[in-house]
Amino acid sequence: MPTVVEVFESRILRRNPLGDPHVRRIPVHLPPSYGTGRRRYPVITLLSGFTGSGETLLNRTAWAETVPERADRLVRSGRMAESIIVMPDCFTRYGGSQYLNSSATGRYEDHLVRELVPWVDRRFRTIPHARARAIMGKSSGGYGALVQGMRHPEVWGSVVCHSGDMYFTYCYLPDFPKCLNLLAPYRGRVERFIRAWDRMPRKSDPALHAAINTIAMAACYSPNPAVPVGFDLPFDPHTGELRPRVWRRWLALDPVNMAARHVRRLRRLRLLYLDCGTRDEFHLQYGTRMLASRLRRLGIRHVHEEFDDGHMNVQYRYDRSFALLSRALARR
Amino acid sequence: MPTVVEVFESRILRRNPLGDPHVRRIPVHLPPSYGTGRRRYPVITLLSGFTGSGETLLNRTAWAETVPERADRLVRSGRMAESIIVMPDCFTRYGGSQYLNSSATGRYEDHLVRELVPWVDRRFRTIPHARARAIMGKSSGGYGALVQGMRHPEVWGSVVCHSGDMYFTYCYLPDFPKCLNLLAPYRGRVERFIRAWDRMPRKSDPALHAAINTIAMAACYSPNPAVPVGFDLPFDPHTGELRPRVWRRWLALDPVNMAARHVRRLRRLRLLYLDCGTRDEFHLQYGTRMLASRLRRLGIRHVHEEFDDGHMNVQYRYDRSFALLSRALARR
Amino acid sequence: MPTVVEVFESRILRRNPLGDPHVRRIPVHLPPSYGTGRRRYPVITLLSGFTGSGETLLNRTAWAETVPERADRLVRSGRMAESIIVMPDCFTRYGGSQYLNSSATGRYEDHLVRELVPWVDRRFRTIPHARARAIMGKSSGGYGALVQGMRHPEVWGSVVCHSGDMYFTYCYLPDFPKCLNLLAPYRGRVERFIRAWDRMPRKSDPALHAAINTIAMAACYSPNPAVPVGFDLPFDPHTGELRPRVWRRWLALDPVNMAARHVRRLRRLRLLYLDCGTRDEFHLQYGTRMLASRLRRLGIRHVHEEFDDGHMNVQYRYDRSFALLSRALARR
Amino acid sequence: MPTVVEVFESRILRRNPLGDPHVRRIPVHLPPSYGTGRRRYPVITLLSGFTGSGETLLNRTAWAETVPERADRLVRSGRMAESIIVMPDCFTRYGGSQYLNSSATGRYEDHLVRELVPWVDRRFRTIPHARARAIMGKSSGGYGALVQGMRHPEVWGSVVCHSGDMYFTYCYLPDFPKCLNLLAPYRGRVERFIRAWDRMPRKSDPALHAAINTIAMAACYSPNPAVPVGFDLPFDPHTGELRPRVWRRWLALDPVNMAARHVRRLRRLRLLYLDCGTRDEFHLQYGTRMLASRLRRLGIRHVHEEFDDGHMNVQYRYDRSFALLSRALARR
């Protein structure tokens, strides 16, 4: 029942290229019975979306539950098995890391798998096996969960991806011309834009989203240590023309394209759950359908659901995934 | 430096008409030196905006400080005097109370002035005088601060109103036809709308704002114990025509109109600070100008500022008001 | 079948205050049999909306009929009686005249009733009686039709008002703060705004609508020969506060308020038809309902209909009104 | 000075696949001196944008000139040489033909080059040489002008492209997921959508644009006589995945990609003028820059300009192109 906010000092994130802190605050929600016995529990690692971190999952908003409140309610009503929920902080100066290693942002994938997982197993009474470990998330967190599951099935036995970033052609590319417009006053020089943005009182202005998001994704998907800013934009900053070499690097990290390269690993998962709203503002329902169709063709067991809603404020979908996970994590 | 979240059991809010909890969580931020001596400190009571509560002021968002972090930074840099910051919770089922007493929501004004202030003075080492007490807020919180200052100058010596609800003709009335549209599927019956809304998974959907906000304000400004829902809408739910009797009740609570009725009290304030962005999405800069112009005409000392921004994410304005307050609260 | 565009030299509009032309091009659509006999026909005068004129009703747009094409189709299919359709031009430099006399724009009401009607009766084989004359229009044209019908029932026997400007509190007032924002760069001086606007290459930019429309309506509803610009704005250009004296002049010309003052005249109408879409972007369905409810209370015969659509591109409603008019105009 | 609207009976458009009329109304604007002598004049063929036709260029709108009025003003002021302006009608049931031959819409390219040009030379006192013939247009009309110029330099000596469709990756592709959303209620079956749309009273609803435009472009760029609807959509209607074979057919008709295949022909042009607004809502400034940069690299003479505006209502740019054309058409 209590949520403890752990202070974790990362070795891997120390001296990361963006100067982001290597000491992170990581909320861990413990199940109701945790304090009253010696039982061991499965662990759900819950990845936040772009601009979020573990602590933002505890934010209080009107008429809504926090993640711990939701879990407690579900456990009380018998729809969810008691589990430990770990909420990592992989926020970066640009808004997020996509939970990948990148020379432009830091080694967040390693941080998750090599540091956090062992530390959680040491610090809490977990069932320290992949079969009792799930990774899940929404939006960028859903992306992260999928990629972790594809690459580290020996760590994660179950994967839940809610409204995850997918089919970059529809979810990122339409932002490129808008990003170009926002870079225009800086003559297309992204480092000038970033410098100006650093000084803005309202850095999260929705009007800037196309630029911030594109920059953040470029730092994750097309890092380039040879250039001062540390990453390549996927387009020419003046004409806007796609740079095929860079864009291909992005596409190589699109889950829709990754699936075929990770068939054997994906087959090891106990649960692979995907969902998306049919009115998703980033059109992620289409990428999710493509991935589901590829999984079907590749013979990979999965659950694919759609619901009548958009991208934002759909945490009520966790009711569904927490319930499914409870069964998957319980199986021996 | 530490922020404690106090659990306050209100006698006044017990059995409030909306069934909202009478036990509230109230963050109190203590100044850096609080733990190290016997000094007494001025108190700033910070009222949150519509849909917010004390705890939402602690929410973590990307690239932004929480209120305690902001205060700590300002104190460290010498721009703010050490103060206790109290963050009340006057949230209601409809999203807020406007910090007023209402037979439809509860006695939030009494809760603030009769319960919270004495409790803070008992529980913390405050300077228990009006001169060392400030009330401030943004949006609905700014409205609340103004009204408190007008009505209880014996309690509050200083008032800060950021982008406060004012000139209801511009800030609420344009929402009425939109509210009518949202009530239409329920045949204009507000209680049916509320019942349906209670069951919605996304109660804070921006598309519903015009209805929720109008309902909440009606519960605050035109309560009516004689009708089942507990309040009067300011318009006919079918034709939309303004109900002059109800609308006049709203206007009587518009700060722009209240000023002339509270001249003597307003003159007692040590600081009366108003600001608003010149691109406020609710057009509050106009109401704020009207109030400032009336204050000028009535010979009431005040500071009125405008800044080049909208309504959202302008917490950076607290840097300005915390600094001004520090001086006002220090004066003997 | 042919539509002739007549060139009309107005005596009344000569030397109008805005310098608009007094020679106007007025399309007149003649019924199919007009050329083949000596029959006389009823006359429908069709008033265009804000920014429109008679000729804009002939504009060709994709997948849509012009007014003459629509009438011809309806006549062919037997749903409409053969009629002469006159399409006046009461456009002004500010976008329209609301078909009123105003010292700020010109005497457009007189132009319609004293000049155009007699000229049509002289020039074409009309049935020169009120019972065979209808006035109709949409939006500002619907407003014009209503007001003409209220004031000149000896001229017009039937009135059709589609989505007409009504309940100014909802259809105009919400634009006032937006207008204030647009005037702000000109320090609130409307004459400076007008001068700058005159030089803009894109005078009809939708972003300017709130200013242009408010200015045009002020010129129609609150002319004031004593000020250089020729009219009073209904608000203080700095604080935005409503000027009650000016705003009352507007409200006196609101059809919702005019009805009670024109009961006897309204009773003389053979047809009084009102409709509006339930998703009207200017919320005119509410004003229309108020007017209908007043007409009912005053015992004035009328037809009131609603349809599931917005304000724009609803010319298909003319199929309904042309059919109703055909019956009304045929009655002896 | 007079504009005649010619009725042209096309042999080539007879029995076109969409059942569109083969008799078209084609406005021809004659220069002021045309009636007073035997002089011959250069000819400007002006192509309208998507959903437009020749006659829509004569539409009257508030505060704006029609094309003939603009030309007359420019001639009067000496900024434009007297010319004949021909305004073809290549509208189709789907909104436009892109001035291409397509088995799904009809042979509009042939209609222009093989029928209209000879007919104009026969019917009017033209200078019947490529050097005295220009083709120009805006948006889809700009696209048409470019493609005509690339393919038929023996017919057209000068080309003007205002805000032309280019770099389909930015101007069309971002609409694909929106089109998918609009097709969803019809289970992705485009023929069902078209059937429903045919019956809608408001076929030009902006909310439908992404679907109508994508369908129209598919009919132009990827016709397929083997399927009942006559064309291939560039994506799977369920998952939304791009169909690479179809998408490549589109890209082959993207001016940005066509340039390199038409170098010799483009070099023959006397004037090749491109412009675009820097705030174009369809982001066409980027495609235009790409084309200009390719032209530069290929050593093709051209003029490329940008202006501070969006995509709509920028006819004032014709003042610039008519002036440039006058010089180009005058050269021997």
Side-chain angles (χ1 to χ4, degrees):
Chain A
M1 201 176 328
T3 303
V4 292
V5 178
E6 297 281 328
V7 175
F8 182 86
E9 195 172 336
S10 165
R11 200 185 39 75
I12 289 175
L13 297 183
R14 196 186 296 267
R15 277 184 291 278
N16 63 72
L18 290 177
D20 285 311
H22 73 286
V23 179
R24 300 287 177 129
R25 295 171 56 81
I26 301 178
V28 178
H29 183 63
L30 301 172
S33 71
Y34 192 88
T36 65
R38 319 218 38 181
R39 225 180 106 191
R40 291 186 161 271
Y41 301 88
V43 178
I44 297 171
T45 296
L46 175 50
L47 306 179
S48 50
F50 187 63
T51 76
S53 64
E55 282 194 304
T56 62
L57 297 167
L58 308 183
N59 279 351
R60 186 148 297 289
T61 58
W63 309 297
E65 295 170 311
T66 61
V67 164
E69 288 170 347
R70 181 176 301 277
D72 284 350
R73 174 178 53 77
L74 291 170
V75 167
R76 264 196 318 274
S77 69
R79 292 164 60 197
M80 181 180 182
E82 292 196 88
S83 320
I84 294 167
I85 304 177
V86 178
M87 295 166 257
D89 172 9
C90 297
F91 184 72
T92 73
R93 181 182 160 204
Y94 298 147
S97 63
Q98 298 296 92
Y99 307 96
L100 296 174
N101 292 339
S102 156
S103 65
T105 61
R107 288 167 46 211
Y108 288 89
E109 183 171 353
D110 288 351
H111 164 62
L112 272 188
V113 173
R114 299 203 192 162
E115 276 188 338
L116 263 192
V117 169
W119 170 79
V120 167
D121 283 340
R122 281 196 312 273
R123 182 143 182 94
F124 300 98
R125 294 202 310 281
T126 66
I127 303 170
H129 296 297
R131 67 168 161 82
R133 264 194 228 106
I135 188 150
M136 70 178 277
K138 202 209 104 186
S139 201
S140 282
Y143 173 85
L146 262 183
V147 172
Q148 296 296 320
M150 287 186 188
R151 290 185 171 171
H152 306 288
E154 74 290 355
V155 175
W156 314 105
S158 295
V159 167
V160 167
C161 169
H162 291 293
S163 310
D165 295 16
M166 254 175 275
Y167 204 55
F168 297 175
T169 307
Y170 286 171
C171 74
Y172 298 142
L173 187 148
D175 269 353
F176 292 174
K178 299 177 197 165
C179 176
L180 283 155
N181 287 351
L182 289 162
L183 296 182
Y186 307 93
R187 300 184 167 201
R189 306 217 10 209
V190 70
E191 60 280 12
R192 284 197 199 169
F193 171 88
I194 292 171
R195 230 174 300 137
W197 176 64
D198 273 340
R199 288 189 303 265
M200 291 183 197
R202 289 178 49 182
K203 298 182 71 180
S204 56
D205 192 323
L208 299 173
H209 173 82
I212 306 309
N213 195 57
T214 303
I215 288 169
M217 295 307 123
C220 298
Y221 299 144
S222 48
N224 180 356
V227 297
V229 75
F231 59 83
D232 289 328
L233 286 176
F235 44 73
D236 179 283
H238 176 63
T239 65
E241 189 166 4
L242 285 184
R243 290 166 167 162
R245 239 173 4 88
V246 181
W247 182 231
R248 268 198 298 274
R249 292 181 67 193
W250 286 48
L251 295 181
L253 289 164
D254 185 334
V256 162
N257 300 324
M258 290 175 79
R261 298 199 309 272
H262 294 81
V263 175
R264 212 133 21 115
R265 296 179 178 191
L266 282 164
R267 287 223 180 98
R268 289 174 59 178
L269 295 176
R270 295 165 152 249
L271 174 68
L272 173 51
Y273 177 82
L274 312 166
D275 76 3
C276 194
T278 53
R279 293 180 277 128
D280 191 282
E281 286 83 355
F282 302 98
H283 311 299
L284 297 167
Q285 73 267 41
Y286 298 110
T288 308
R289 284 184 200 165
M290 286 177 222
L291 178 57
S293 125
R294 276 159 171 69
L295 294 174
R296 212 161 26 245
R297 242 181 298 133
L298 297 166
I300 295 163
R301 208 182 33 221
H302 66 281
V303 180
H304 173 220
E305 295 181 344
E306 299 199 340
F307 53 93
D308 178 30
D309 210 333
H311 190 76
M312 309 310 289
N313 299 316
V314 293
Q315 295 86 337
Y316 61 86
R317 296 295 305 170
Y318 296 176
D319 281 26
R320 172 76 177 140
S321 50
F322 279 155
L324 285 174
L325 275 180
S326 294
R327 267 177 273 154
L329 294 168
R331 270 188 289 132
R332 299 239 94 201
Chain B
M1 203 180 322
T3 303
V4 293
V5 179
E6 298 279 328
V7 175
F8 183 86
E9 194 172 335
S10 166
R11 198 184 42 73
I12 289 175
L13 298 182
R14 196 187 296 268
R15 279 185 290 278
N16 63 73
L18 290 177
D20 286 310
H22 73 287
V23 179
R24 301 285 176 130
R25 296 170 56 80
I26 300 178
V28 178
H29 182 64
L30 301 172
S33 70
Y34 192 89
T36 66
R38 318 216 39 180
R39 225 179 106 191
R40 290 187 162 271
Y41 301 88
V43 177
I44 298 171
T45 296
L46 175 51
L47 306 179
S48 49
F50 187 63
T51 76
S53 63
E55 282 194 304
T56 61
L57 298 168
L58 308 183
N59 279 351
R60 186 147 296 290
T61 58
W63 308 298
E65 294 170 312
T66 61
V67 164
E69 287 170 348
R70 180 177 301 277
D72 285 351
R73 172 178 55 77
L74 291 169
V75 166
R76 263 196 318 273
S77 69
R79 292 164 61 198
M80 181 181 181
E82 292 196 272
S83 319
I84 293 168
I85 304 176
V86 178
M87 293 165 258
D89 172 9
C90 296
F91 184 72
T92 73
R93 182 182 159 205
Y94 298 148
S97 63
Q98 298 297 91
Y99 307 96
L100 296 174
N101 291 339
S102 155
S103 65
T105 61
R107 290 166 47 211
Y108 289 89
E109 183 171 355
D110 288 351
H111 164 62
L112 272 189
V113 172
R114 299 202 192 164
E115 276 187 339
L116 263 193
V117 169
W119 169 80
V120 167
D121 283 340
R122 281 196 315 272
R123 182 143 183 95
F124 300 98
R125 294 201 311 281
T126 66
I127 303 169
H129 297 297
R131 65 166 162 81
R133 262 194 229 104
I135 187 150
M136 70 179 277
K138 202 209 104 185
S139 200
S140 282
Y143 173 85
L146 262 182
V147 173
Q148 296 297 319
M150 288 185 186
R151 291 185 170 170
H152 307 288
E154 73 290 356
V155 176
W156 315 105
S158 295
V159 167
V160 167
C161 169
H162 291 293
S163 310
D165 295 16
M166 254 176 275
Y167 204 55
F168 296 176
T169 307
Y170 286 171
C171 74
Y172 298 142
L173 188 148
D175 269 353
F176 292 174
K178 299 177 198 167
C179 176
L180 283 155
N181 287 350
L182 290 161
L183 296 181
Y186 307 93
R187 299 180 166 207
R189 306 222 4 215
V190 70
E191 60 280 13
R192 284 197 199 169
F193 172 87
I194 292 170
R195 228 173 302 136
W197 175 63
D198 273 341
R199 287 190 303 266
M200 290 183 196
R202 289 177 50 181
K203 299 182 71 182
S204 56
D205 192 323
L208 300 172
H209 173 84
I212 306 309
N213 195 58
T214 303
I215 287 168
M217 295 306 124
C220 298
Y221 300 143
S222 48
N224 179 356
V227 298
V229 75
F231 59 85
D232 289 329
L233 285 177
F235 44 73
D236 180 282
H238 176 63
T239 65
E241 189 164 6
L242 283 185
R243 290 168 166 160
R245 240 172 7 87
V246 181
W247 182 231
R248 268 197 300 273
R249 292 182 66 194
W250 286 48
L251 295 181
L253 289 164
D254 185 334
V256 162
N257 301 323
M258 292 176 78
R261 298 199 310 273
H262 294 81
V263 175
R264 211 128 29 109
R265 297 180 177 190
L266 282 164
R267 288 223 179 97
R268 289 175 60 179
L269 295 176
R270 294 166 153 249
L271 174 69
L272 173 51
Y273 177 82
L274 312 166
D275 76 2
C276 194
T278 53
R279 292 179 277 128
D280 191 282
E281 286 83 356
F282 302 97
H283 311 300
L284 297 167
Q285 73 266 41
Y286 298 110
T288 308
R289 285 184 200 166
M290 286 176 221
L291 178 56
S293 125
R294 276 161 172 69
L295 294 174
R296 212 161 28 244
R297 241 180 299 133
L298 298 165
I300 295 164
R301 210 181 33 220
H302 67 283
V303 181
H304 172 221
E305 294 181 344
E306 299 199 338
F307 53 93
D308 177 30
D309 209 335
H311 191 76
M312 309 311 290
N313 300 315
V314 293
Q315 295 86 337
Y316 61 87
R317 295 295 305 170
Y318 296 175
D319 281 25
R320 172 77 178 140
S321 50
F322 278 155
L324 285 174
L325 276 180
S326 295
R327 267 177 273 156
L329 295 168
R331 269 188 288 134
R332 298 239 94 200
Chain C
M1 203 181 322
T3 303
V4 292
V5 179
E6 297 280 328
V7 175
F8 182 87
E9 194 171 337
S10 165
R11 200 184 39 74
I12 289 175
L13 297 182
R14 196 186 295 268
R15 278 185 290 277
N16 64 73
L18 289 176
D20 285 311
H22 73 287
V23 179
R24 300 287 177 130
R25 295 170 57 80
I26 301 179
V28 178
H29 182 63
L30 301 172
S33 71
Y34 192 87
T36 66
R38 318 217 40 180
R39 225 179 108 192
R40 292 186 161 272
Y41 300 89
V43 177
I44 298 170
T45 296
L46 175 49
L47 305 179
S48 49
F50 187 62
T51 76
S53 64
E55 282 194 304
T56 62
L57 297 167
L58 308 183
N59 280 350
R60 186 148 296 290
T61 58
W63 309 296
E65 295 171 310
T66 60
V67 165
E69 288 170 346
R70 181 176 301 277
D72 284 350
R73 173 178 54 77
L74 291 169
V75 167
R76 264 197 316 274
S77 69
R79 293 163 62 196
M80 181 181 182
E82 292 194 89
S83 319
I84 294 168
I85 304 176
V86 177
M87 295 166 256
D89 172 9
C90 297
F91 185 73
T92 73
R93 181 181 159 203
Y94 298 148
S97 62
Q98 298 296 92
Y99 307 95
L100 296 174
N101 292 339
S102 156
S103 65
T105 61
R107 288 165 49 210
Y108 288 90
E109 184 170 353
D110 289 351
H111 164 62
L112 272 188
V113 172
R114 298 202 193 164
E115 275 187 338
L116 263 193
V117 169
W119 170 80
V120 167
D121 283 340
R122 280 196 314 273
R123 181 145 183 94
F124 299 98
R125 295 200 310 280
T126 67
I127 302 170
H129 296 296
R131 65 167 161 83
R133 262 194 229 107
I135 187 150
M136 70 179 276
K138 203 209 103 187
S139 201
S140 282
Y143 173 84
L146 262 182
V147 173
Q148 295 298 318
M150 287 185 186
R151 291 184 170 172
H152 307 290
E154 73 291 355
V155 176
W156 316 105
S158 295
V159 166
V160 167
C161 169
H162 291 292
S163 309
D165 295 17
M166 254 175 276
Y167 205 54
F168 296 175
T169 307
Y170 286 172
C171 74
Y172 299 141
L173 188 148
D175 270 353
F176 292 173
K178 298 178 199 166
C179 177
L180 284 155
N181 288 350
L182 289 163
L183 295 182
Y186 307 93
R187 299 179 167 207
R189 306 221 5 214
V190 70
E191 60 280 13
R192 284 197 199 169
F193 172 87
I194 292 171
R195 229 174 302 138
W197 175 64
D198 273 340
R199 287 189 302 265
M200 290 184 196
R202 289 179 48 182
K203 299 183 70 182
S204 57
D205 192 323
L208 299 172
H209 173 83
I212 305 307
N213 195 58
T214 303
I215 287 169
M217 295 306 124
C220 298
Y221 300 143
S222 48
N224 180 356
V227 297
V229 75
F231 59 85
D232 288 329
L233 286 176
F235 44 73
D236 179 283
H238 176 62
T239 65
E241 189 165 4
L242 283 185
R243 291 166 166 161
R245 238 171 7 86
V246 182
W247 181 231
R248 268 198 299 273
R249 292 181 67 194
W250 286 49
L251 295 181
L253 289 165
D254 185 334
V256 162
N257 300 325
M258 290 175 79
R261 299 199 309 273
H262 294 80
V263 176
R264 211 130 26 112
R265 296 179 178 192
L266 282 164
R267 287 222 179 99
R268 289 174 59 178
L269 295 177
R270 295 167 153 249
L271 173 68
L272 172 51
Y273 177 82
L274 312 166
D275 76 2
C276 194
T278 54
R279 294 179 276 127
D280 191 283
E281 286 84 355
F282 302 97
H283 311 299
L284 297 168
Q285 73 267 41
Y286 298 109
T288 307
R289 284 185 200 166
M290 286 177 221
L291 178 57
S293 125
R294 276 160 171 69
L295 294 174
R296 213 164 22 248
R297 243 181 297 133
L298 297 165
I300 294 164
R301 210 182 32 221
H302 67 281
V303 181
H304 173 220
E305 295 181 343
E306 299 199 339
F307 53 93
D308 177 30
D309 209 333
H311 190 75
M312 309 311 290
N313 299 315
V314 294
Q315 296 84 337
Y316 61 86
R317 294 296 304 170
Y318 296 174
D319 282 25
R320 172 76 177 140
S321 50
F322 279 155
L324 286 174
L325 275 180
S326 295
R327 266 177 273 156
L329 294 168
R331 267 187 290 135
R332 299 240 93 201
Chain D
M1 204 181 322
T3 303
V4 291
V5 179
E6 298 280 329
V7 175
F8 183 87
E9 195 171 335
S10 166
R11 200 184 39 75
I12 288 175
L13 298 182
R14 196 186 295 267
R15 278 185 291 277
N16 63 72
L18 290 176
D20 285 310
H22 73 287
V23 179
R24 300 286 176 129
R25 295 169 57 80
I26 301 179
V28 178
H29 182 63
L30 301 173
S33 70
Y34 191 88
T36 65
R38 318 216 40 180
R39 224 178 107 191
R40 292 187 161 271
Y41 300 89
V43 177
I44 298 172
T45 295
L46 175 50
L47 306 179
S48 49
F50 188 63
T51 76
S53 63
E55 282 194 303
T56 62
L57 297 168
L58 308 183
N59 279 350
R60 185 147 296 290
T61 58
W63 308 298
E65 295 170 311
T66 61
V67 164
E69 288 170 347
R70 181 176 301 277
D72 284 351
R73 174 178 53 77
L74 291 170
V75 166
R76 264 196 316 276
S77 69
R79 292 164 61 198
M80 181 180 182
E82 292 195 88
S83 320
I84 294 167
I85 304 177
V86 177
M87 294 166 257
D89 172 8
C90 296
F91 184 73
T92 73
R93 182 182 160 204
Y94 296 148
S97 62
Q98 298 296 91
Y99 308 95
L100 296 173
N101 291 339
S102 156
S103 65
T105 61
R107 289 164 50 210
Y108 288 90
E109 184 171 353
D110 289 350
H111 164 62
L112 272 189
V113 171
R114 298 202 193 164
E115 276 187 337
L116 263 193
V117 168
W119 170 80
V120 167
D121 283 339
R122 279 197 313 272
R123 182 146 184 92
F124 299 98
R125 293 202 311 280
T126 65
I127 303 170
H129 296 297
R131 65 169 163 80
R133 263 194 229 106
I135 189 150
M136 69 179 277
K138 202 209 104 187
S139 203
S140 282
Y143 173 84
L146 262 182
V147 172
Q148 295 298 319
M150 287 185 187
R151 290 185 171 171
H152 306 289
E154 73 290 355
V155 176
W156 316 105
S158 295
V159 167
V160 167
C161 168
H162 291 293
S163 309
D165 295 18
M166 254 175 277
Y167 204 55
F168 296 176
T169 307
Y170 286 171
C171 73
Y172 298 142
L173 189 149
D175 270 352
F176 292 173
K178 298 178 198 166
C179 176
L180 283 155
N181 287 352
L182 289 162
L183 296 181
Y186 307 93
R187 300 183 166 204
R189 306 222 5 214
V190 69
E191 59 282 12
R192 284 197 199 169
F193 172 87
I194 292 171
R195 229 173 301 137
W197 176 64
D198 274 340
R199 287 189 303 266
M200 290 183 196
R202 288 177 50 181
K203 299 182 70 182
S204 57
D205 192 322
L208 299 172
H209 172 83
I212 306 308
N213 196 58
T214 304
I215 287 169
M217 295 307 124
C220 298
Y221 300 143
S222 48
N224 180 356
V227 298
V229 76
F231 59 84
D232 289 328
L233 286 176
F235 44 72
D236 179 283
H238 176 63
T239 65
E241 188 165 4
L242 284 185
R243 291 168 167 161
R245 238 171 7 87
V246 182
W247 182 231
R248 268 197 299 272
R249 291 181 67 194
W250 287 48
L251 295 181
L253 289 165
D254 185 334
V256 161
N257 301 324
M258 291 175 79
R261 298 200 308 273
H262 295 80
V263 176
R264 212 130 26 112
R265 296 178 179 192
L266 283 164
R267 288 222 179 99
R268 288 176 60 179
L269 296 177
R270 295 166 153 248
L271 175 68
L272 173 51
Y273 177 83
L274 312 166
D275 77 2
C276 194
T278 53
R279 293 180 276 129
D280 191 282
E281 286 83 356
F282 302 98
H283 310 301
L284 297 168
Q285 72 267 41
Y286 298 110
T288 307
R289 285 185 199 165
M290 286 177 220
L291 179 56
S293 124
R294 276 160 173 68
L295 293 174
R296 214 163 24 247
R297 240 180 299 133
L298 297 166
I300 295 164
R301 210 181 33 221
H302 67 283
V303 180
H304 173 221
E305 296 181 341
E306 299 198 339
F307 52 93
D308 178 30
D309 209 332
H311 191 76
M312 310 310 289
N313 299 316
V314 293
Q315 296 85 338
Y316 60 85
R317 295 296 304 170
Y318 296 176
D319 282 25
R320 172 75 177 141
S321 49
F322 278 154
L324 285 175
L325 274 181
S326 295
R327 268 178 272 155
L329 294 169
R331 269 188 289 133
R332 298 238 95 199

